[in-house]
Amino acid sequence: MKNILFNSGKHKPLPSFALLVLRASFGLMMLTHGWPKLINFSEKAASFPDPLHIGSSLSLGMVVFAEFICAILVIIGLATRWAAFPIMVAMAIAAFVIHGKDPFAEREMAILYLAAFTTIMVLGSGSYSLDKAISGK
């Protein structure tokens, strides 16, 4: 079970450093989207987009989980592949559903985040992560 949840991948030092830079930079940038939603949750809850038809509050809660909690997990490299997935889902919905009919410039940032977190999910966290420390591999 530990190998499934905390699989950091097998990488040499330089690719691991590149993954650390990717995780830290995109994770920190994602926090700048999640934090305002978290601290203004009650104000945003009633009017937040609800593309999955589960309610605006629940949709906002799921986005806050992805953009804030999962971003922190990606930054520190803990359950990184699992944490990257909710962010990918949120960015895919933002790019192709919420902004699906908007010009590319409106969707570009979500697509960039989607590409970065997809890369992180596929490659894992690298050697410089809590995943590596926990798994021991």
Side-chain angles (χ1 to χ4, degrees):
M1 180 68 175
K2 187 167 57 170
N3 289 333
I4 294 171
L5 188 57
F6 303 109
N7 187 337
S8 62
K10 295 182 185 218
H11 304 286
K12 293 182 179 180
L14 189 57
S16 286
F17 180 73
L19 283 167
L20 172 63
V21 170
L22 185 70
R23 286 188 355 252
S25 59
F26 276 89
L28 287 168
M29 287 187 286
M30 183 56 66
L31 284 177
T32 68
H33 296 279
W35 177 248
K37 291 177 181 89
L38 177 62
I39 62 171
N40 298 308
F41 190 92
S42 57
E43 293 86 24
K44 292 183 177 286
S47 62
F48 196 77
D50 183 23
L52 302 177
H53 309 290
I54 57 174
S56 292
S57 293
L58 186 54
S59 291
L60 178 58
M62 291 172 70
V63 169
V64 167
F65 172 75
E67 292 182 356
F68 189 74
I69 303 299
C70 290
I72 291 171
L73 293 174
V74 167
I75 291 166
I76 64 175
L78 182 61
T80 307
R81 288 181 163 153
W82 293 91
F85 185 74
I87 301 172
M88 291 169 45
V89 171
M91 293 302 101
I93 291 171
F96 302 115
V97 178
I98 303 299
H99 297 290
K101 295 181 181 177
D102 293 345
F104 179 74
E106 295 292 319
R107 300 179 300 152
E108 182 177 11
M109 186 62 69
I111 293 169
L112 287 170
Y113 280 124
L114 177 59
F117 286 101
T118 299
T119 302
I120 291 167
M121 192 184 90
V122 169
L123 295 178
S125 57
S127 297
Y128 308 117
S129 65
L130 288 177
D131 287 343
K132 176 69 172 182
I134 291 169
S135 72
K137 290 185 178 184

